[in-house]
Amino acid sequence: MATFDYQFGLTKLVPSKQDYREREKVTAFRSLVERTLSPQVIASSVFPSKKEVVIFVIQFFLSRKEYETRDVDNMSKTILDCLKGKLYIDDSQVRTLLITKKMSPKVPTNFVFVGIRELKGETDIEVVQTMLMQQAITLYQTSVKSS
């Protein structure tokens, strides 16, 4: 189970930074994130982190239409821009970004969960270290042999 150095949730949809029609929503969302970050985080010596970080995002949807039309890559850009300079210094520090979208009766509203964790000695999160790396290496070795 992942542990986080900081986490927060908002009963909002993450607007798409890439959609010019949502420009005002992006600005309002950024302000909401800034107001949500606790004063302890803003004043801490830990944040913004200078280390590599892992960011987790889960966007829950109330509406099937919103779920089907929202792109996780566009949501990630908005989230990363909101966190940069507050929880980490630069996007180049994001080693792993895990983002997903869900509809669930356990979360019957629009809700976004964001968690961040510094990498402290480990090379990445467990799923990347164990499952993804091995599959990528195996595929690489197989493709090199067949070339």
Side-chain angles (χ1 to χ4, degrees):
M1 177 179 234
T3 58
F4 303 102
D5 294 314
Y6 189 73
Q7 63 187 20
F8 66 93
L10 302 168
T11 54
K12 295 286 180 195
L13 288 175
V14 177
S16 170
K17 184 176 182 208
Q18 308 307 308
D19 188 340
Y20 72 92
R21 296 168 296 186
E22 292 203 342
R23 194 172 318 201
E24 289 179 14
K25 290 180 183 178
V26 170
T27 301
F29 186 81
R30 183 180 317 238
S31 295
L32 179 60
V33 168
E34 288 174 4
R35 289 190 312 272
T36 301
L37 296 177
S38 70
Q40 294 85 5
V41 167
I42 301 299
S44 83
S45 60
V46 175
F47 294 110
S49 174
K50 295 171 182 65
K51 297 180 179 181
E52 288 187 309
V53 296
V54 179
I55 298 176
F56 301 83
V57 180
I58 301 175
Q59 174 70 70
F60 291 94
F61 291 89
L62 177 60
S63 155
R64 168 86 34 209
K65 180 183 176 204
E66 288 285 356
Y67 173 83
E68 292 173 350
T69 59
R70 294 283 176 157
D71 296 340
V72 295
D73 62 324
N74 292 335
M75 288 187 292
S76 70
K77 291 171 183 143
T78 301
I79 291 288
L80 292 176
D81 283 351
C82 289
L83 301 180
K84 185 168 69 174
K86 296 162 190 66
L87 296 180
Y88 60 91
I89 297 167
D90 188 76
D91 289 340
S92 64
Q93 293 171 253
V94 179
R95 165 77 68 86
T96 301
L97 172 64
L98 179 62
I99 183 166
T100 189
K101 60 183 189 175
K102 300 281 183 198
M103 291 188 75
S104 172
K106 293 180 179 180
V107 184
T109 190
N110 295 323
F111 180 79
V112 61
F113 166 86
V114 179
I116 184 170
R117 188 177 84 181
E118 281 186 333
L119 289 171
K120 300 175 178 115
E122 67 268 62
T123 57
D124 214 323
I125 60 174
E126 186 176 340
V127 69
V128 173
Q129 288 177 348
T130 57
M131 190 173 82
L132 295 176
M133 281 296 289
Q134 188 55 52
Q135 289 181 22
I137 290 167
T138 300
L139 181 60
Y140 167 77
Q141 290 171 342
T142 305
S143 65
V144 168
K145 288 178 185 174
S146 65
S147 310

